Amino acid sequence: MAIEFDHSTLGQRVLFGTGAAARNTLAALTGLDASRVLLIADRFTLELADEIAATAPVVDRIHDIVQHVPVENAEDAVARARATGADVVLTIGGGSSTGLAKIVARETGLPIVAVPTTFAGSEATNVWGQTEGERKTTGVDDNVLPRVVVYDASLMATMPATLAMSSALNAVAHAIDGFWAPRADPINRALGTEGLRALLPGLRQLHREPDSLEAREQTLYGAYLAAVAFASAGSGMHHKICHALGGTYNLPHAETHSVVIGYVTAFNAPFAPDAADRVASALGGDTSPGGGLYRLRHDIDAPRSLQELGLDESAIPAAVEIILPAIPASNPRPVTVADLETLLHAAWAGDPIE
């Protein structure tokens, strides 16, 4: 069969080095000729933020970070960027910090330097998200792609074990959902496959050896590849489900992804044999993709149900109404109301489906 596709590779500088976050961040800011930096950092990263601010030309700092980027927080950050005449946005923290910086960049055109402290992957994508009136809206805008990413595996050392596993499974979801997303092509499939090959052994080792920098580096490397694959492929069924659950019911981002990905994979795998083979191979080759992800979730003590994340089962019919219209036509398996209700009820209870 002839190969034909239209692929866009996003332009971004990546500085990867354990223990080098402060030095590489200053190098990134210098490379952008930054003279007035708006610093957005969650409260878990204040030590690094203080270290960088002592040398960098920081004109304002924002530490009030809320997941899913409420519109009120976004508007305040944009106003502060404009009022201070900022010329670069520096974000330190997880996906919520990066997400807030992206809205600033979307509205002002300012470049972002991102210093991630989780495996969220938002730093490698041109996707933004914002919540208003209990609905999360997402979009694509090249202005929100961070110009430079500074990766330092030592920054992940303070993540609680459960969050580390959920965050890594969020990265796994980027790779898998990219296999059947609207713009999936051979290049992002290759990136997603290599991402899984790094992520899955990395997160297993990280579960066994929480202090292993080697495991954190491998997981972080895999998370970056998975995010790049996701950025070019777009959002598939899995992400549409998780964005709705997060935005409407305020479920925690990474943990929701870690629960849902096994269910979407089990649902789609029979209709996507190439993707199923790639996932099964990365999991060890002797399991079904859905079953392997269920067992992985158990083995690494990740959250197992939407119920434990705080979703009320009675909310499922309304969630289906929000999610169904958003599922891309590219999904390999047709999705009905009954299908989606069955999937969400199983995810709510933590019961595997095959």
Side-chain angles (χ1 to χ4, degrees):
M1 183 174 66
I3 298 176
E4 183 176 345
F5 59 87
D6 181 348
H7 177 85
S8 295
T9 298
L10 305 180
Q12 185 178 70
R13 182 185 184 189
V14 176
L15 299 171
F16 196 114
T18 298
R23 181 176 75 248
N24 282 339
T25 299
L26 292 172
L29 293 172
T30 299
L32 292 173
D33 295 323
S35 61
R36 299 184 66 81
V37 176
L38 173 63
L39 172 59
I40 297 175
D42 63 43
R43 298 187 183 278
F44 299 102
T45 66
L46 290 181
E47 183 177 347
L48 176 60
D50 289 343
E51 180 181 356
I52 292 171
T55 306
V58 173
V59 294
D60 197 2
R61 296 172 62 154
I62 297 174
H63 300 299
D64 184 18
I65 310 300
V66 182
Q67 67 173 353
H68 307 304
V69 193
V71 65
E72 299 82 6
N73 295 64
E75 289 174 347
D76 176 69
V78 170
R80 289 169 68 169
R82 288 174 170 155
T84 57
D87 57 7
V88 172
V89 183
L90 169 62
T91 175
I92 307 173
S96 297
S97 297
T98 306
L100 181 59
K102 284 183 170 185
I103 301 301
V104 174
R106 187 193 69 183
E107 296 301 311
T108 65
L110 296 179
I112 299 172
V113 174
V115 186
T117 59
T118 70
F119 306 118
S122 176
E123 69 281 351
T125 80
N126 58 352
V127 179
W128 56 266
Q130 183 174 289
T131 302
E132 182 175 12
E134 297 185 344
R135 293 293 175 91
K136 186 170 186 177
T137 303
T138 62
V140 175
D141 187 329
D142 286 345
N143 284 329
V144 311
L145 176 73
R147 194 77 59 83
V148 187
V149 181
V150 175
Y151 284 122
D152 183 340
S154 68
L155 300 182
M156 284 68 181
T158 58
M159 264 196 296
T162 299
L163 178 58
M165 294 299 99
S166 295
S167 183
L169 283 173
N170 182 16
V172 169
H174 286 146
I176 295 175
D177 209 33
F179 290 148
W180 43 60
R183 299 188 304 277
D185 64 42
I187 295 175
N188 51 51
R189 288 191 186 100
L191 288 169
T193 301
E194 180 60 22
L196 288 178
R197 288 174 179 163
L199 272 166
L200 293 171
L203 68 87
R204 285 188 174 115
Q205 183 183 357
L206 192 55
H207 180 258
R208 295 191 307 270
E209 306 170 48
D211 296 328
S212 170
L213 275 176
E214 177 187 3
R216 292 184 183 276
E217 286 183 338
Q218 184 168 354
T219 305
L220 188 57
Y221 164 70
Y224 169 70
L225 292 180
V228 172
F230 170 72
S232 62
S235 294
M237 177 180 176
H238 168 83
H239 278 78
K240 298 304 183 183
I241 292 173
C242 292
H243 287 162
L245 295 177
T248 302
Y249 304 104
N250 200 35
L251 299 191
H253 182 82
E255 291 86 344
T256 302
H257 282 271
S258 71
V259 170
V260 171
I261 186 57
Y263 294 93
V264 173
T265 302
F267 179 81
N268 275 340
F271 292 74
D274 179 73
D277 288 346
R278 291 172 187 268
V279 178
S281 176
L283 286 165
D286 59 349
T287 182
S288 68
L293 289 170
Y294 298 140
R295 283 190 286 278
L296 174 64
R297 185 179 62 185
H298 179 273
D299 291 345
I300 63 175
D301 300 314
R304 302 179 195 178
S305 73
L306 296 176
Q307 180 182 17
E308 67 183 274
L309 300 183
L311 182 69
D312 191 318
E313 190 174 17
S314 65
I316 289 176
V320 168
E321 290 184 9
I322 298 169
I323 296 165
L324 193 60
I327 293 178
S330 66
N331 196 67
R333 180 175 180 176
V335 186
T336 67
V337 169
D339 291 332
L340 201 48
E341 286 186 345
T342 298
L343 187 154
L344 289 177
H345 279 292
W348 179 85
D351 295 333
I353 57 173
E354 286 289 354

